[in-house]
Amino acid sequence: MATGVVRSFGVGALAARAALAWIRRDQRAATLDRTNYRGRTVTLAGGPALAAGATIGAALGAPGAAVTAATITAGATAAAVGFYDDMVGHRPEQKAKGFAGHLGALREGRVTSGFVKIAGVGAAGLAASALLARDPAGKGRGMVNVLLGAGVIAGTANLVNLLDLRPGRALKAGALIGAPLALGRRGGVAAGTLGAGAALLPADLGEDIMLGDAGANALGALLGVALAARTGLAGRALALTVLAGLTAASEKVSFTKVIQDTPWLRRLDELGRRDG
């Protein structure tokens, strides 16, 4: 593994841990407490901590100014709109299920925090993909490539967020997506993202923190940038097809049920998680 990739991984890990400690010391940290699926009190501090560490690590490992700008745009924006949804999305008037539910609320004249998040992540994906088109060593030039790249970035952010329903699940999925992207000289974006995730995985598995939309969306968006930065028309089209298929399936099928009903997926999902 190249020295720059290792450095990005390390910086991402250190920045995430430092950010988590800083956030938890803040006098307003109690407002981040939430109840998880088992009734335990956990903190959403993991989300902004992951987003900060991953964005810093990924930006450090980016190969050039264009990819650096794309990384910061995607990571910061996805985290911001995700955090907004984390803060207000639990209110009764904000309730809506899935993409169709948020669109239905919009037709009724209600702008939900979930719709703000969807629009923000989509805009971040488009802006980041347009920035990637300026990368001299990239393959993403042209309007079609930019639109496909935007779909990959936003789609990956959404997919990782959909998986963030159990401790450690989103980070494990992120590791599976990001590991191949961290190889080689252009692997710094993925490596910085994975470093932040690795640093916070024990706390996530231990139900001490949760990622929330801020963390999951930022994680996915940064991995989407890493993927889009290394692919051209065919690769982006294939990735977007897979992402669109999984997103459509999520509207009809529970990913948690599929994982529970598939022995090897269930064992992977439960690996490292606290008992009782």
Side-chain angles (χ1 to χ4, degrees):
M1 185 179 290
T3 302
V5 171
V6 174
R7 183 175 64 248
S8 299
F9 184 95
V11 169
L14 289 172
R17 290 182 65 86
L20 179 61
W22 179 74
I23 294 167
R24 300 191 78 166
R25 286 196 302 268
D26 190 275
Q27 61 182 359
R28 296 162 293 181
T31 63
L32 299 175
D33 287 348
R34 295 292 186 275
T35 302
N36 74 356
Y37 76 112
R38 293 206 297 181
R40 296 182 182 277
T41 299
V42 296
T43 176
L44 282 168
L50 174 68
T55 302
I56 291 169
L60 178 68
V67 184
T68 300
T71 296
I72 294 171
T73 297
T77 305
V81 295
F83 189 69
Y84 173 70
D85 194 27
D86 286 334
M87 291 294 98
V88 306
H90 63 284
R91 298 173 184 171
E93 71 273 14
Q94 297 289 338
K95 294 298 181 183
K97 183 175 176 59
F99 186 71
H102 293 298
L103 286 180
L106 186 64
R107 286 194 293 269
E108 296 171 1
R110 292 189 296 118
V111 179
T112 64
S113 61
F115 180 79
V116 172
K117 179 185 67 177
I118 292 168
V121 170
L126 183 59
S129 186
L131 288 165
L132 289 178
R134 301 180 183 181
D135 179 17
K139 308 172 184 177
R141 297 178 185 84
M143 181 60 69
V144 174
N145 249 322
V146 168
L147 292 175
L148 288 173
V152 168
I153 295 167
T156 309
N158 182 60
L159 176 63
V160 173
N161 191 43
L162 288 173
L163 292 170
D164 188 36
L165 295 176
R166 295 293 184 271
R169 183 181 293 174
L171 290 176
K172 290 175 184 176
L176 292 174
I177 296 169
L181 298 172
L183 301 175
R185 291 186 302 171
R186 293 177 67 83
V189 173
T193 305
L194 295 181
L200 299 186
L201 180 59
D204 191 13
L205 287 170
E207 299 181 47
D208 183 38
I209 64 169
M210 64 168 59
L211 302 186
D213 290 340
N217 277 319
L219 174 66
L222 289 167
L223 292 174
V225 171
L227 177 56
R230 301 187 67 159
T231 53
L233 189 67
R236 292 181 179 190
L238 176 61
L240 184 56
T241 299
V242 173
L243 290 165
L246 290 171
T247 300
S250 73
E251 297 282 339
K252 304 292 183 181
V253 179
S254 166
F255 285 170
T256 294
K257 186 176 188 309
V258 171
I259 290 169
Q260 288 298 314
D261 291 345
T262 308
W264 71 271
L265 283 176
R266 184 174 67 250
R267 287 193 294 272
L268 177 62
D269 188 47
E270 294 174 348
L271 183 65
R273 196 175 293 162
R274 68 184 294 178
D275 296 324

